[in-house]
Amino acid sequence: NAGVMQNPRHLVRRRGQEARLRCSPMKGHSHVYWYRQLPEEGLKFMVYLQKENIIDESGMPKERFSAEFPKEGPSILRIQQVVRGDSAAYFCASSPGMGLLGYTFGSGTRLTVV
Amino acid sequence: AQRVTQPEKLLSVFKGAPVELKCNYSYSGSPELFWYVQYSRQRLQLLLRHISRESIKGFTADLNKGETSFHLKKPFAQEEDSAMYYCALRGKMGGTSYGKLTFGQGTILTVHP
């Protein structure tokens, strides 16, 4: 089992471009969480998804950010029209159920906006 | 609202010395508290959780509801303990616990030889 896979590991985008971050959960995991870590800060919850459903998006910025977890394929965090303030490390975690049993983090994607 | 505070960004000790990483929280209900660790170039992983009352790699943490603290302690630090440590809290939504975690800012522990 390869664990939670995030790609790319590093992503550089110019201001105004779109960033797409992918998270492939562990086999058998149908719950995905996205977190953002800004420089000098801890991880902050963004969104919680189950297959084809957004359960809790209370941590998502109101504009430009969206997330999906389709029936097939990885979960995608999409940031439109990126700005310098979006530069951060984005982590996802997956679990087989609602609780923390088997909760596993990916290695993260470091987004740099130039 | 729930909040986790780790007052020390950096902590340095010598090998064999005791170490304590501080964590304070605010939460209106009954919290579940965790410590996560991230070693260099590795992913974040669970170190211990308060409900288990266990000792992992010599580390222990006791939940003190009166002081709203969950400090991580080890009596004799080792060089391989050098890492980033995060305290985290899990709350509930609609009476149900799920995997949404609130993290502190993290403490970088360096253990010198």
Side-chain angles (χ1 to χ4, degrees):
Chain A
N1 198 330
V4 179
M5 303 300 293
Q6 289 189 249
N7 63 81
R9 289 296 302 273
H10 300 275
L11 181 62
V12 179
R13 283 288 176 266
R14 295 187 188 280
R15 280 178 294 170
Q17 290 185 317
E18 178 180 287
R20 291 170 72 87
L21 288 65
R22 286 176 290 277
C23 170
S24 296
M26 287 184 70
K27 188 176 181 180
H29 287 196
S30 59
H31 299 248
V32 166
Y33 301 79
W34 284 94
Y35 292 85
R36 177 167 64 172
Q37 185 177 30
L38 294 169
E40 307 295 316
E41 295 186 18
L43 283 75
K44 286 193 167 40
F45 169 80
M46 298 182 77
V47 62
Y48 162 41
L49 310 103
Q50 294 179 25
K51 286 280 187 181
E52 299 184 279
N53 286 304
I54 296 175
I55 307 302
D56 181 354
E57 55 182 346
S58 58
M60 288 279 271
K62 296 272 187 287
E63 298 175 347
R64 303 189 296 108
F65 284 72
S66 62
E68 63 176 8
F69 189 15
K71 189 176 179 181
E72 302 290 339
S75 175
I76 306 286
L77 180 68
R78 183 178 175 213
I79 311 172
Q80 295 178 289
Q81 299 175 318
V82 295
V83 300
R84 288 233 169 96
D86 296 333
S87 295
Y90 292 83
F91 293 91
C92 82
S94 74
S95 65
M98 283 191 71
L100 290 178
L101 186 66
Y103 198 91
T104 306
F105 278 91
S107 298
T109 292
R110 188 163 297 278
L111 172 66
T112 302
V113 179
V114 297
Chain B
Q2 52 200 48
R3 189 179 187 134
V4 177
T5 303
Q6 293 177 250
E8 302 142 328
K9 188 178 290 188
L10 301 169
L11 185 61
S12 290
V13 300
F14 286 100
K15 178 182 172 182
V19 63
E20 181 180 53
L21 290 83
K22 290 185 168 45
C23 172
N24 290 91
Y25 68 89
S26 63
Y27 182 63
S28 56
S30 287
E32 290 184 66
L33 275 298
F34 307 85
W35 277 98
Y36 278 83
V37 61
Q38 187 173 30
Y39 299 103
S40 179
R41 297 192 188 87
Q42 295 187 28
R43 61 190 67 198
L44 205 62
Q45 53 188 289
L46 178 66
L47 181 62
L48 53 82
R49 50 200 304 175
H50 89 271
I51 59 173
S52 301
R53 300 188 65 81
E54 59 199 342
S55 173
I56 303 293
K57 299 185 180 182
F59 284 98
T60 59
D62 289 318
L63 179 61
N64 185 324
K65 291 187 178 181
E67 296 182 359
T68 60
S69 68
F70 187 56
H71 303 327
L72 183 68
K73 299 176 185 178
K74 185 169 182 176
F76 308 104
Q78 304 298 315
E79 289 177 71
E80 55 265 30
D81 296 328
S82 296
M84 172 75 96
Y85 291 81
Y86 293 98
C87 183
L89 177 153
R90 180 168 81 149
K92 294 186 178 184
M93 180 181 76
T96 303
S97 292
Y98 63 104
K100 175 181 176 181
L101 294 170
T102 298
F103 285 88
Q105 302 93 316
T107 298
I108 299 173
L109 173 64
T110 303
V111 181
H112 300 284

